Amino acid sequence: QVQLQESGPGLVKPSQTLSLTCSVSGGSISNGDYYWSWIRQPAGKGLEWIGRIHTSGGTAYNPSLKSRVTISVETSSNQFSLKLGSVTAADTAVYYCARERPNSVVIPPVIEVDYWGQGTLVTVSS
Amino acid sequence: DIVMTQSPLSLPVTPGEPASISCKSSQSLMYSNGYNYLEWYLQKPGQSPQLLIYLVSSRASGVPDRFSGSGSGTDFTLKISRVEAEDVGVYYCMQVLQIPYTFGQGTKLEIK
């Protein structure tokens, strides 16, 4: 059973960089055809897809955040990370890490977000 | 970006009664293969979202058959044939046709 766990500071000052790590257990992050993603949820609001990194290292980001976001993977520690720069109060949210699984029942495969972390609240405030 | 719009945003339901949630997309979610890349997720209180349905109507593993999905193009519906207490939470539709993937605002289902 794959499990994901977010970790990182719960409080970040405006204009600084938000850094989170997702630890993956129950399987190797470098095995298989998966995408490792970050999704966030501001309090009382809906979900926003931030971006993802493939097992091969390829990345894709939400254009609305692209200039500020970097997602990277550390295969030796079975983790992947999110960095979001120049944060403001609008970046305050619960941040989830997740796994996207391409389901080849159709071509092109349909992406299923099949495992999620429990989420971690990050508040941007001075 | 594809905008996803759900209705209603709040849905009080009596146990045993049916429930229906609508999801509309700002552009067609049908790929050239004829499939619609539309999914439904349920976020139970205090939990992370979980996949219910993919490709409009295919239930994920372990999802009860009282959940069903339908629709095509830009109009989609999630139906629960007989609501149970464990179905409470916020339901989201999500398009996975193109990046960035986008979600509806969520529909909060509560028991009357």
Side-chain angles (χ1 to χ4, degrees):
Chain A
Q1 178 78 352
V2 174
Q3 292 185 316
L4 294 85
Q5 177 68 59
E6 306 87 353
S7 60
L11 180 64
V12 181
K13 288 181 168 48
S15 80
Q16 293 191 343
T17 296
L18 178 160
S19 295
L20 295 175
T21 296
C22 182
S23 299
V24 180
S25 59
S28 172
I29 199 169
S30 57
N31 287 347
D33 181 23
Y34 300 113
Y35 297 91
W36 304 95
S37 310
W38 291 94
I39 296 166
R40 70 182 182 179
Q41 184 172 35
K45 296 187 179 181
L47 298 157
E48 180 180 30
W49 186 86
I50 298 171
R52 70 184 187 193
I53 187 165
H54 188 257
T55 305
S56 64
T59 55
Y61 300 124
N62 191 322
S64 68
L65 300 169
K66 187 175 183 177
S67 63
R68 300 193 289 132
V69 173
T70 302
I71 297 175
S72 59
V73 64
E74 297 87 29
T75 54
S76 61
S77 53
N78 223 38
Q79 296 176 330
F80 64 105
S81 299
L82 168 71
K83 291 189 186 300
L84 178 65
S86 304
V87 297
T88 69
D91 295 309
T92 294
V94 173
Y95 285 76
Y96 295 97
C97 60
R99 189 183 83 169
E100 296 179 13
R101 182 180 79 92
N103 183 345
S104 298
V105 65
V106 293
I107 300 299
V110 59
I111 294 296
E112 300 173 2
V113 187
D114 60 351
Y115 289 100
W116 301 65
Q118 65 183 29
T120 187
L121 174 62
V122 178
T123 301
V124 178
S125 175
S126 55
Chain B
D1 297 3
I2 298 176
V3 177
M4 308 295 290
T5 304
Q6 290 181 230
S7 62
L9 300 185
S10 179
L11 184 57
V13 183
T14 301
E17 293 297 304
S20 180
I21 301 171
S22 171
C23 175
K24 297 183 187 297
S25 57
S26 62
Q27 63 189 74
S28 176
L29 300 185
M30 183 180 288
Y31 192 74
S32 55
N33 59 11
Y35 288 90
N36 291 271
Y37 285 61
L38 185 282
E39 300 177 343
W40 290 95
Y41 291 80
L42 166 59
Q43 186 172 27
K44 294 184 177 182
Q47 297 185 18
S48 304
Q50 59 188 82
L51 177 65
L52 290 177
I53 286 177
Y54 62 95
L55 292 174
V56 176
S57 59
S58 296
R59 282 186 298 276
S61 177
V63 175
D65 60 8
R66 63 179 181 275
F67 289 92
S68 64
S70 63
S72 184
T74 60
D75 290 348
F76 304 92
T77 302
L78 175 70
K79 292 184 178 178
I80 309 173
S81 58
R82 295 173 304 280
V83 170
E84 298 186 4
E86 66 181 21
D87 300 335
V88 298
V90 182
Y91 290 78
Y92 294 95
C93 58
M94 175 187 180
Q95 67 81 17
V96 290
L97 178 68
Q98 68 182 48
I99 285 173
Y101 301 146
T102 49
F103 297 84
Q105 318 97 299
T107 295
K108 185 174 184 178
L109 186 148
E110 60 182 23
I111 298 296
K112 281 184 181 176

